[in-house]
Structures are given as C-alpha cells and as structure tokens.
C-alpha cells in the first residue's frame, strides 16, 4: 500500500498512531492472511477516502479506522479463543486506544461498533457505518487472497455450476 504512505494528508492525520511503539506491535500478528497492522491500515485508508467523498469527518474515520483492531493476541489461540475474540475485541481495542491516544466520542463509537451486526453495538454515526462496511469489504478481499488456488478453483466451479443449473431450469 505504497500510495498510503505517499498521501501526506492522510499520514499527517494518523502519524502519531502509525509511529506509536505499542501500536506497531500488531505488525507481528496475522489477521485475515496479512498482518493486523496491514489490515488496519487498509481499512483506515479506504475509509478515509470514502469519508472524504461523502463529506464526512475523514480525520476521525482515518484515526479510528487505524485503531479498530488495536489489540494483541497470541498466534497460538485455539478456535474457542478466536471465536470469543470476535465479540470481545472491539471493547479491548477501545481500551487500548484510550490508554495510548486521545479519542473523541465518535472515534470510540467507530472502534466499538465496527463489528456490527456480529456484535450488537449499532453504529451511531455515518462515519461508524463507513468503517464497519469498509472493514467487511477489506476482510473479504484479504480472505480471498489467502485462499489456496485449489479452493478458489472449487469455489468458482461451484458458482459456475450453480449459475448453469439456475439458468437452464
């Protein structure tokens, strides 16, 4: 994501987070087939771009988008721990972010509600919806890149067969 670090305005808005030693620990954690840092950066940057187009508060979107998955976890977590984390991590991310940065109430809502509808914290702001939706799109993109060629081929074949069955029936 070279274009991200080349965007001076964006980098100015998030530089204190981007360069924070504690935040940078998420560079070592796998997330959707990339690092949690790369995932967060991608969500933040695309949310920032969408918010600018929609004339929303792109500064808060950029910052909260970068912090939305700011939690540390072990690579050795079992399936149960990973499952529970899906529901618990937004609260943990808010706490980690408040310890390390000053947050507005909107930034807190963006981070806390980014897992809607999986968790039941409904986003209060348009900016919260942007980050939540971009996060889902980015996760789908990252998962699709992570999948093996064999699995992708089976998936595409199944979709094609499903389409043919529906088309000819």
């Amino acid at each position: 994501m070279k274009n991200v670090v080349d965007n001076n305005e964006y980098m100015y808005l998030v530089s204190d987070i981007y360069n924070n030693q504690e935040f940078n620990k998420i560079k070592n954690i796998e997330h959707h087939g990339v690092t949690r840092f790369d995932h967060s950066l991608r969500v933040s940057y695309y949310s920032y771009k969408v918010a600018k187009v929609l004339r929303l508060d792109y500064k808060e979107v950029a910052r909260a988008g970068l912090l939305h998955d700011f939690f540390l976890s072990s690579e050795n977590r079992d399936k149960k721990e990973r499952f529970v984390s899906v529901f618990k991590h937004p609260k943990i991310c808010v706490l980690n972010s408040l310890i390390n940065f000053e947050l507005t109430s909107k930034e807190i809502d963006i981070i806390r509600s980014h897992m809607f509808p999986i968790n039941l914290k409904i986003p209060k702001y348009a900016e919260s919806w942007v980050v939540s939706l971009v996060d889902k799109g980015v996760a789908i993109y990252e998962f699709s890149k992570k999948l093996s060629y064999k699995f992708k081929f089976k998936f595409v074949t199944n979709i094609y067969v499903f389409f043919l069955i529906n088309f000819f029936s």
Side-chain angles (χ1 to χ4, degrees):
M1 294 200 46
K2 184 177 176 3
N3 58 335
V4 174
V5 294
D6 290 341
N7 185 317
N8 292 331
E9 179 184 47
Y10 172 80
M11 289 306 295
Y12 175 77
L13 296 174
V14 300
S15 63
D16 62 319
I17 301 167
Y18 187 87
N19 295 313
N20 180 277
Q21 185 177 8
E22 191 66 23
F23 179 77
N24 276 277
K25 290 179 181 177
I26 67 173
K27 286 182 176 179
N28 301 317
I29 301 171
E30 189 271 335
H31 193 75
H32 306 256
V34 297
T35 68
R36 191 168 292 152
F37 179 89
D38 290 339
H39 167 77
S40 297
L41 186 61
R42 188 173 280 124
V43 169
S44 173
Y45 186 68
Y46 291 136
S47 296
Y48 156 83
K49 299 290 270 181
V50 169
K52 282 192 85 161
V53 168
L54 297 175
R55 294 192 168 132
L56 298 174
D57 190 337
Y58 58 87
K59 176 184 178 185
E60 289 183 281
V61 165
R63 295 178 62 74
L66 195 54
L67 293 168
H68 84 279
D69 277 338
F70 179 28
F71 70 104
L72 303 176
S73 58
S74 169
E75 291 294 320
N76 300 323
R77 295 181 295 165
D78 61 24
K79 288 181 181 179
K80 180 183 175 188
E81 290 172 316
R82 289 179 190 271
F83 178 76
V84 169
S85 174
V86 168
F87 301 96
K88 290 177 60 176
H89 84 269
K91 286 182 183 179
I92 297 167
C93 295
V94 168
L95 292 174
N96 287 344
S97 298
L98 285 169
I99 289 168
N100 291 280
F101 309 100
E102 288 186 31
L103 300 180
T104 66
S105 58
K106 189 181 291 183
E107 289 169 335
I108 291 170
D109 185 71
I110 292 168
I111 298 165
R112 180 68 182 89
S113 65
H114 82 272
M115 288 299 291
F116 181 81
I118 293 170
N119 71 17
L120 300 177
K121 175 69 170 113
I122 300 171
K124 292 181 187 175
Y125 305 98
E127 291 85 352
S128 304
W129 283 101
V130 167
V131 172
S132 182
L133 293 171
V134 169
D135 182 39
K136 273 104 185 121
V138 166
I140 290 168
Y141 167 78
E142 290 168 348
F143 273 124
S144 72
K145 291 190 68 104
K146 179 182 178 179
L147 299 175
S148 70
Y149 174 77
K150 183 178 177 182
F151 181 84
K152 286 180 188 179
F153 182 75
K154 285 181 181 179
F155 178 76
V156 170
T157 303
N158 288 339
I159 294 293
Y160 183 69
V161 169
F162 179 74
F163 172 75
L164 288 176
I165 291 169
N166 284 307
F167 183 76
F168 290 112
S169 56

